[in-house]
Amino acid sequence: MPRTLHSFVQRKLEAARHPDRVPGLPWACAVCTLHNPPERTACQVCLTKHAAAVPPTKVSQEPVVVLDDEEAPDRAHDVSGRECSRAKRAAPAPAPEPAAAQMVLQPVLSCPKSVPHRAVRAIGGLYIFDDFISCAEENMLLDNLRQQEKFHISHWNGVNLGTSWGVKTDFRLRTVTAGDRPLPAYLDFVLARMRSGSFPPLRAFRPNEANCIQYIVARQHHLAPHFDDRKLSGELLANLSLASECHMTYVHGKSGRKIRVLLPRRSLQVVTGEARYDWQHGILNEDIVGPVRVSITFRHTDTTGKVA
């Protein structure tokens, strides 16, 4: 049977089986709001069954970005009971996951400007540069992550999916060795912009290590409060936010004071000085605005040998 005729017959059969579905239009999941292809009968993230077609208000012209991972089922952690300074929204129960699932980012429906620049005066050494990259550059990065990288479940600080490049750090042995995966070429424009001179804290920054974290809200992914290693991770951290904005919670190491800081989509956060050494940082699952958030963190790690 010719391919065009075969596709026509398939569409007719699908319409007969699901008369409530609008043919040819994506449908929005009632639980996680992800827009799914019309041929799917369950949500690609939370696996909720499709009950009726819910056409989106606006169909994106941008490609859907898919990130692969090797996360095993039953890896969700519930953090909804943790203290937070704002009213909590009810966290959905974690859905069962297939052993080898494809993670799908919600299509980019629009690219509004981020909020104006905010000086984080309460935390010394913390800088946030809004709109560090453009919407087109964000989509390019997400597309390369989808095509070239493999994500793995991580329980190091919280629960999330991750991948990394550059030098390898063994925090238990306190050693740094040459890695087998250099920073990919598609990050070169980000590195060049950092040292362009337009962002004073980054003029002398030459990262030799980076890691990417993917947070799936439906799986209760989060980042537990922590200090990055005081010696092995360098004096400066630079973190790029992709796919969704979030609030990062800073907790003072001595007083326990908490401050929530907005990290807009496409912004670059630079952590130095007091923010680097006196404040722990983390992200609650309920503080991620959107079904998926992706971040890339750059560091310059000491490679002179064993560090005490």
Side-chain angles (χ1 to χ4, degrees), residues 4-248:
T4 54
L5 180 58
H6 178 70
S7 301
F8 174 78
V9 172
Q10 278 191 322
R11 288 197 300 269
K12 288 295 185 181
L13 291 174
E14 185 72 10
R17 285 195 297 266
H18 304 283
D20 61 336
R21 185 178 304 167
V22 179
L25 288 178
W27 55 274
C29 175
V31 175
C32 68
T33 73
L34 180 80
H35 289 83
N36 293 272
E39 65 272 12
R40 290 195 63 91
T41 58
C43 178
Q44 299 174 88
V45 170
C46 67
L47 303 181
T48 301
K49 294 294 184 181
H50 172 67
V54 184
T57 56
K58 180 180 178 182
V59 179
S60 170
Q61 299 302 315
E62 301 291 346
V64 176
V65 180
V66 181
L67 303 184
D68 296 329
D69 75 87
E70 292 182 350
E71 184 173 4
D74 302 323
R75 292 291 193 181
H77 285 218
D78 184 8
V79 297
S80 61
R82 299 181 62 179
E83 181 181 355
C84 183
S85 59
R86 69 167 183 165
K88 298 180 176 65
R89 61 173 171 82
E97 304 176 32
Q102 285 187 321
M103 293 300 95
V104 181
L105 294 182
Q106 190 172 16
V108 179
L109 298 180
S110 63
C111 290
K113 285 287 184 180
S114 299
V115 298
H117 176 72
R118 296 152 291 99
V120 187
R121 298 176 182 176
I123 305 177
L126 182 60
Y127 305 86
I128 297 180
F129 299 99
D130 296 327
D131 293 308
F132 185 80
I133 62 173
S134 68
C135 183
E137 290 168 336
E138 176 191 41
N139 282 327
M140 182 274 289
L141 289 175
L142 292 172
D143 191 53
N144 276 282
L145 290 169
R146 175 186 63 83
Q147 295 180 17
Q148 301 187 34
E149 308 300 337
K150 196 74 172 178
F151 287 76
H152 307 275
I153 183 66
S154 171
H155 294 272
W156 180 251
N157 288 311
V159 183
N160 43 62
L161 303 173
T163 189
S164 62
W165 313 273
V167 298
K168 290 185 177 180
T169 304
D170 190 317
F171 292 103
R172 294 181 176 85
L173 297 178
R174 312 298 296 164
T175 58
V176 180
T177 57
D180 54 3
R181 300 187 68 218
L183 271 67
Y186 59 80
L187 292 178
D188 286 350
F189 82 96
V190 177
L191 303 178
R193 192 165 299 167
M194 286 182 183
R195 53 178 179 260
S196 65
S198 301
F199 310 94
L202 298 168
R203 286 174 180 168
F205 185 48
R206 299 294 184 272
N208 59 358
E209 185 264 331
N211 72 293
C212 180
I213 296 178
Q214 182 183 180
Y215 303 88
I216 311 298
V217 173
R219 297 184 180 184
Q220 303 301 311
H221 289 176
H222 65 283
L223 183 68
H226 68 284
F227 291 107
D228 279 52
D229 192 280
R230 294 176 177 272
K231 293 185 178 181
L232 289 174
S233 294
E235 298 180 356
L236 184 150
L237 312 174
N239 175 265
L240 186 63
S241 294
L242 306 172
S244 293
E245 70 179 28
C246 77
H247 281 87
M248 176 170 280

